[in-house]
Amino acid sequence: MNSAAAVWGKVLSLLEEEMTSTTIKTWFHDVRAIALEESRFVLCSPDPLNRDVIRQRYLPAVQKALRELFSADFEVLVLGEEELSSYTGEETDNDFLPGTEEYTFERFVVGSSNKFAHAASQAVASKPAGYYNPLFIYGGSGLGKTHLLYAICNEIRRNTPDVKIFYTKGENMANELIEAMQNHLTPEFRAKYRQVDVLLVDDIQFIAGKVATQEEFFHTFDALHQANKQIVLTSDRPPREIATLEDRLRTRFEMGLLADIQPPDLETRIAIIKRKAQLLDFTVSDEICEYIANQLKSNVRQLEGAVKSMRAQCLLNGAQPSLATAQSAIRDIRNDSQPVPITVERIVNEVARTMNVTPEDIRSNKRSAPISQARQVAAYVVRNITGLPMKAIGEEFGTRDHS
């Protein structure tokens, strides 16, 4: 009864006496027990919707079960993956974020757009540093790059548990280095990244333009590669298109294998929707799957989000999945991802704020150097972003001559 996992098993047994099996399966299926402290019980749920519902509706029931077990009151925390690292203060087992067990090669839907990256990742996982080192996977957001990284981690851990794996994001690495330099902990930073068997860095493009981070990563890369340790990197673009990446890093990234992931075709999108629904024990008709696949074409996360949104609507409303619920789910996703339109007024306001003048100054006849420069910058940005003709831009800036 002392381990958090054992306690969570007892809590679930008590919850099953008060809730239906559907409720337990729907909202608690992905919850993991992280820690049992003196007066606090910490859980982790990787699904934001499940996490929010548990926090809002079911915390009292969990606390009641703990009180029944221990005759004491407990604070219950339900954390997401992004919160877990800051709570524990370190990566669990010094490898990758917990809650990623579901990301396996078996659950990765393979199609013509991603089969090369999938096969390369499997090869790396089967024999780290034996085939492609480094492996550089690139493609747009939401296409499955991170899934493949987690799958590599899970496969290696399953085959060789003693291998030391470390997963991080490019932005986290840069921030960590800044903090290490400020606190005179640079040697500890280097040891953390260089004493591993497998290093996986997600979104490596975020170190571009950061001189100190690129310098450190260059030496880390060389140290690991020379020691025959596996390196896997992902990016939203190939190395040659990362504009501010140092040439010496670019050539090293290109010395292994480059594998791209493209947006999935229709058949793959339908297969992804069916797989996501199956994993959630949610039945969706072929007609609805095809409808969603035709509406959301470029992002796997959006497909998963649509399935989860439909499932939540059906569970909360006691309804069956239909085209209406699919349309509602898709509408919510599109609204969430709709970019704020970039207008002339917005550009003028941003330039004015950045250059410490007012929008009225930019549109006025004032000719002082700061205002003239801000006016020229605003006109240049408007021209390049909106594509308005010069005459129209002149009219936007106080009926000025386009020249």
Side-chain angles (χ1 to χ4, degrees), residues 264 268-270 272-273 276 292-297 299-308 333:
T268 306
R269 296 197 301 274
I270 292 174
I272 290 170
I273 294 167
K276 298 299 182 184
I292 296 173
N294 277 312
Q295 297 298 314
L296 303 173
K297 300 180 179 181
N299 192 305
V300 174
R301 287 199 193 103
Q302 290 185 342
L303 297 175
E304 182 175 8
V307 174
K308 288 184 175 180
I333 289 171

Side-chain angles (χ1 to χ4, degrees), residues 103-341:
Y103 296 97
T104 63
F105 289 120
E106 292 76 18
R107 290 191 174 188
F108 188 87
V109 179
V110 181
S112 59
S113 61
N114 59 27
K115 61 181 179 181
F116 180 64
H118 177 264
S121 299
Q122 281 188 311
V124 165
S126 67
K127 190 176 181 181
Y131 292 103
Y132 313 118
N133 198 21
L135 172 61
F136 191 102
I137 304 171
Y138 67 91
S141 176
L143 296 182
K145 301 187 300 296
T146 301
H147 185 135
L148 287 178
L149 288 190
Y150 289 150
I152 291 172
C153 291
N154 285 315
E155 186 73 11
I156 293 174
R157 288 222 314 178
R158 183 166 57 189
N159 296 333
T160 49
D162 294 336
V163 170
K164 194 172 184 181
I165 308 171
F166 190 82
Y167 165 92
T168 190
K169 293 180 178 291
E171 187 176 14
N172 292 347
M173 180 190 293
N175 293 335
E176 197 174 335
L177 176 60
I178 292 171
E179 187 174 342
M181 294 172 67
Q182 290 175 342
N183 294 291
H184 307 291
L185 296 173
T186 306
E188 287 80 356
F189 172 87
R190 292 170 181 163
K192 177 179 179 180
Y193 282 90
R194 298 181 193 181
Q195 295 176 2
V196 299
D197 299 308
V198 180
L199 175 64
L200 307 100
V201 184
D202 211 354
D203 292 324
I204 192 65
Q205 74 272 8
F206 284 114
I207 75 169
K210 298 176 173 66
V211 177
T213 306
Q214 291 190 85
E215 177 74 20
E216 284 296 332
F217 191 71
F218 168 77
H219 295 295
T220 295
F221 184 102
D222 275 2
L224 292 175
H225 196 270
Q226 290 168 12
N228 201 34
K229 305 301 184 182
Q230 179 68 53
I231 303 167
V232 185
L233 310 170
T234 73
S235 172
D236 61 358
R237 69 204 83 165
R240 68 178 182 276
E241 294 181 11
I242 305 177
T244 53
L245 185 69
E246 292 181 359
D247 286 339
R248 58 180 179 172
L249 280 177
R250 182 178 293 109
T251 57
R252 279 162 173 76
F253 293 171
E254 293 174 341
M255 68 189 285
L257 180 69
L258 302 181
D260 71 324
I261 299 181
Q262 298 295 327
D265 56 25
L266 177 62
E267 290 77 10
T268 306
R269 296 197 301 274
I270 292 174
I272 290 170
I273 294 167
K274 289 183 176 181
R275 177 69 62 83
K276 298 299 182 184
Q278 180 185 18
L279 292 174
L280 294 171
D281 196 23
F282 181 54
T283 304
V284 183
S285 69
D286 291 345
E287 179 188 15
I288 294 175
C289 289
E290 186 170 349
Y291 174 79
I292 296 173
N294 277 312
Q295 297 298 314
L296 303 173
K297 300 180 179 181
S298 61
N299 192 305
V300 174
R301 287 199 193 103
Q302 290 185 342
L303 297 175
E304 182 175 8
V307 174
K308 288 184 175 180
S309 178
M310 284 182 59
R311 171 174 165 267
Q313 290 183 50
C314 292
L315 288 171
L316 294 174
N317 298 325
Q320 293 297 315
S322 64
L323 283 176
T325 55
Q327 289 168 346
S328 175
I330 291 169
R331 184 168 57 250
D332 291 342
I333 289 171
R334 284 180 170 167
N335 287 343
D336 289 343
S337 61
Q338 188 70 29
V340 178

